[in-house]
């Protein structure tokens, strides 16, 4: 028998199960609830555009809340949670055996945290460690307001990529 697609499962699951399917995409309960309340979705594209639209409402306080689920770049988490498994995959191209790079990232992360008071966030999937380091150094020059906007953009990208992964079958 044909397995139901992830979208069919999401559309027909009870509320709690539906939330559990998307919870690892971003640790923002309001976003999760709003996406689940929009069911049923006719297609994965409709679901992804709704998800993108509701992520446009995020504010700086949402960034702080969501960051709790994102380890630093270069600190690949070792625990068994599904968020950590996603983070490890996303950071796969950050070569932790390159000591010079690892040290430069650690220094950049520390400078960033001293300046902005939160963890540096970047969509890591599709980027090398060197690229991430270059972007980290550039973003250190932004103003507080510019950088908050940029970090929220990165959070949206990470969230939507994770969501595409959930509904890719
Ligand atoms: C991460 C993460 O866990 N996945 C990703 O794309 N970026 N973390 C971070 N601090 O940027």
């Amino acid at each position: 028998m044909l397995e139901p697609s992830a979208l069919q499962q999401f559309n027909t699951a009870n509320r709690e199960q539906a939330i559990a399917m998307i919870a690892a995409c971003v640790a923002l309960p309001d976003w999760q609830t709003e996406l689940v309340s929009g069911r049923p979705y006719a297609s994965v594209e409709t679901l992804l555009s709704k998800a993108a639209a509701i992520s446009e409402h995020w504010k700086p306080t949402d960034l702080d809340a969501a960051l709790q689920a994102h380890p630093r770049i270069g600190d690949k988490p070792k625990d068994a949670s599904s968020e950590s498994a996603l983070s490890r995959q996303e950071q796969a191209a950050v070569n932790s055996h390159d000591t010079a790079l690892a040290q430069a990232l650690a220094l950049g992360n520390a400078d960033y945290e001293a300046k902005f008071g939160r963890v540096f966030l970047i969509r890591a999937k599709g980027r090398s460690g060197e690229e991430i380091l270059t972007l980290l150094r550039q973003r250190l020059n932004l103003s507080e307001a510019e950088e908050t906007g940029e970090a929220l953009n990165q959070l949206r990208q990470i969230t939507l990529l994770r969501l595409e992964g959930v509904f890719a079958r």
Side-chain angles (χ1 to χ4, degrees):
M1 222 172 61
L2 214 59
E3 282 258 319
S5 68
L7 180 63
Q8 283 169 316
Q9 284 180 31
F10 185 66
N11 278 337
T12 55
N14 70 35
R15 211 176 156 72
E16 211 175 40
Q17 290 167 332
I19 298 237
M21 283 181 73
I22 58 161
C25 297
V26 70
L28 294 174
D30 287 351
W31 179 90
Q32 296 169 4
T33 313
E34 202 174 340
L35 191 62
V36 166
S37 301
R39 296 179 305 161
Y41 293 97
S43 66
V44 173
E45 289 87 87
T46 332
L47 180 146
L48 293 175
S49 24
K50 168 79 175 181
I54 58 181
S55 73
E56 292 299 323
H57 310 153
W58 289 345
K59 296 180 192 62
T61 47
D62 294 314
L63 179 61
D64 293 331
L67 273 177
Q68 293 171 15
H70 291 284
R72 287 188 185 92
I73 289 292
D75 278 5
K76 293 182 193 172
K78 292 174 185 65
D79 66 278
S81 72
S82 40
E83 288 90 342
S84 294
L86 290 166
S87 289
R88 282 192 297 273
Q89 284 169 26
E90 289 156 1
Q91 296 199 33
V94 181
N95 182 355
S96 48
H97 301 294
D98 180 339
T99 337
L101 176 65
Q103 283 177 357
L105 282 171
L107 280 176
N109 278 328
D111 287 346
Y112 184 96
E113 287 168 32
K115 175 163 180 188
F116 295 110
R118 60 170 183 262
V119 166
F120 170 68
L121 184 72
I122 189 165
R123 182 259 303 156
K125 192 174 175 182
R127 287 186 168 127
S128 69
E130 290 295 344
E131 277 176 75
I132 290 173
L133 179 61
T134 302
L135 291 166
L136 168 50
R137 288 176 170 161
Q138 287 171 3
R139 282 171 54 187
L140 274 170
N141 297 317
L142 296 182
S143 70
E144 180 92 42
E146 287 169 335
E147 174 49 28
T148 298
E150 185 52 37
L152 278 167
N153 265 331
Q154 299 297 315
L155 182 65
R156 292 186 186 101
Q157 290 183 27
I158 296 170
T159 302
L160 290 177
L161 281 168
R162 288 184 175 188
L163 199 62
E164 281 174 24
V166 170
F167 291 99
R169 46 161 205 97

